[in-house]
Amino acid sequence: MMTTLGCALLPTFSPRQYLSIARAADDAALAEICLWEDCFSESGIAAAGAVLASTTDLRVQLGVLPVPLRNVALTAMEIATLEGMFPGRLEPGIGHGVQSWMAQVGVRAASPLTLLREYATALRALLAGERLTVSGRYVSLDDVALDWPPLTAPPVISAATGPKTLRLVGEVADGIALDGGNGLTKLRTAVDTVRAAYDDAGRTDPFKVVISVPTATGPGAAERVQAWLPNWDLPSDAPEEYCVWGDSAEEIADGLRKFADLGADTVNVQPLESEPDPVALVGFLGREVRPLLV
């Protein structure tokens, strides 16, 4: 059973579109909106703050903040500030960042796995109100604690694709975020890998699986899906592996349910870059598709 239906808003959409789409999602009772921080598009923290201030119930899943770009203390401060203003409505995400982009700005790490491990561990501890002194390869903190830690620390999820990062996320994060290029087969593998690492670490705390699913409906939906696949270097002979499309709420719900059945706790519909009316799409998802998935 699907627990959450949301919308993933890629940075291919202009910042000018963000608030109208977010308000429509909020009005339609979608649970969350996933915002991206990509180089060199929108800032995730800035966008999250604006969306939270412009909506009432919508949760913002912030995915993902590239850890080489951000000092962990600053990230903790930003998250704690938003959490203090909008309790329970922010779900931050972190990740390696695209390595070529990290190289462009001079922050590419020699060992992304080591950086992510140190960063995730420190970030979760700071958000939990701990005072830290650590001296790692990448993360160094000397008697650092937040003055205003969250009353309840938000879960910190992490992006991952490769098996080593998937296992690391199962050890040190509160969940896994998978983008729209993963599909059903990779979702199944990712769930098995992170759950095994979670179990091996002896964990019993909550852990969630989030995936974005490219989705189209209305006239030309199938054609728009086929045109989208090459943009992500995905094969065109099995679009149902990655995407959902159809003319009815039932068709969309049936397609999304396949991802939930493989272990996704949250499925965020990802409008295609060619989506002619994203405001109408999120309204349709909330009012017509969501009731079919509870």
Side-chain angles (χ1 to χ4, degrees), residues 72 118 121-122 131-137 139-144:
V72 68
E118 293 179 359
T121 303
R131 181 172 296 276
L132 294 186
T133 296
V134 296
S135 181
R137 180 174 178 182
V139 174
S140 295
L141 300 169
D142 182 8
D143 194 32
V144 174

Side-chain angles (χ1 to χ4, degrees), residues 45-60 78-91 150 152 154:
I45 291 291
V51 167
L52 287 166
S54 301
T55 55
T56 302
D57 300 309
L58 192 67
R59 184 168 65 248
V60 172
E78 291 178 319
I79 292 169
T81 299
L82 290 175
E83 175 62 27
M85 294 177 175
F86 308 100
R89 294 181 55 206
L90 178 67
E91 185 175 86
T152 301

Side-chain angles (χ1 to χ4, degrees), residues 30-294:
L30 279 182
E32 75 175 41
I33 189 167
C34 174
L35 304 178
W36 283 32
E37 179 168 273
D38 266 4
C39 296
F40 301 94
S41 298
E42 291 94 358
S43 156
I45 291 291
V51 167
L52 287 166
S54 301
T55 55
T56 302
D57 300 309
L58 192 67
R59 184 168 65 248
V60 172
Q61 192 246 308
L62 184 51
V64 293
L65 302 174
V67 297
L69 274 177
R70 295 177 167 276
N71 182 280
V72 68
L74 177 60
T75 299
M77 290 162 55
E78 291 178 319
I79 292 169
T81 299
L82 290 175
E83 175 62 27
M85 294 177 175
F86 308 100
R89 294 181 55 206
L90 178 67
E91 185 175 86
I94 59 176
H96 293 313
V98 175
Q99 295 304 292
S100 60
W101 291 340
M102 299 302 99
Q104 278 183 272
V105 295
V107 295
R108 183 170 182 168
S111 177
L113 284 168
T114 301
L115 171 56
L116 187 61
R117 178 183 293 278
E118 293 179 359
Y119 200 102
T121 303
L123 180 59
R124 292 174 76 207
L126 289 170
L127 292 174
E130 297 181 24
R131 181 172 296 276
L132 294 186
T133 296
V134 296
S135 181
R137 180 174 178 182
Y138 296 103
V139 174
S140 295
L141 300 169
D142 182 8
D143 194 32
V144 174
L146 296 174
D147 287 347
W148 297 99
L151 296 178
T152 301
V156 176
I157 63 174
S158 178
T161 52
K164 292 181 179 179
T165 307
L166 286 167
R167 286 196 59 84
L168 175 61
V169 168
E171 293 178 40
V172 302
D174 297 305
I176 175 74
L178 301 166
D179 67 29
N182 281 274
L184 294 167
T185 300
K186 289 184 179 179
L187 170 61
R188 183 184 296 109
T189 300
V191 169
D192 290 345
T193 303
V194 296
R195 292 293 182 189
Y198 174 94
D199 291 339
D200 290 346
R203 297 180 59 182
T204 58
D205 53 320
F207 188 93
K208 68 184 298 183
V209 177
V210 181
I211 189 167
S212 296
V213 180
T215 301
T217 189
E223 291 77 11
R224 285 189 283 120
V225 164
Q226 284 290 343
W228 174 86
L229 291 165
N231 296 338
W232 286 53
D233 295 323
L234 298 174
S236 59
D237 57 346
E240 67 280 358
E241 170 76 14
Y242 304 95
C243 303
V244 171
W245 68 95
D247 294 323
S248 69
E250 289 78 12
E251 288 177 285
I252 301 300
D254 288 345
L256 297 176
R257 196 175 290 112
K258 295 177 182 177
F259 292 84
D261 289 343
L262 288 177
D265 302 296
T266 297
V267 176
N268 287 325
V269 166
Q270 177 180 309
L272 306 184
E273 290 88 332
S274 59
E275 172 57 47
D277 193 343
V279 169
L281 176 61
V282 298
F284 165 74
L285 292 169
R287 295 186 179 95
E288 300 187 40
V289 177
R290 181 183 56 82
L292 302 176
L293 295 171
V294 297

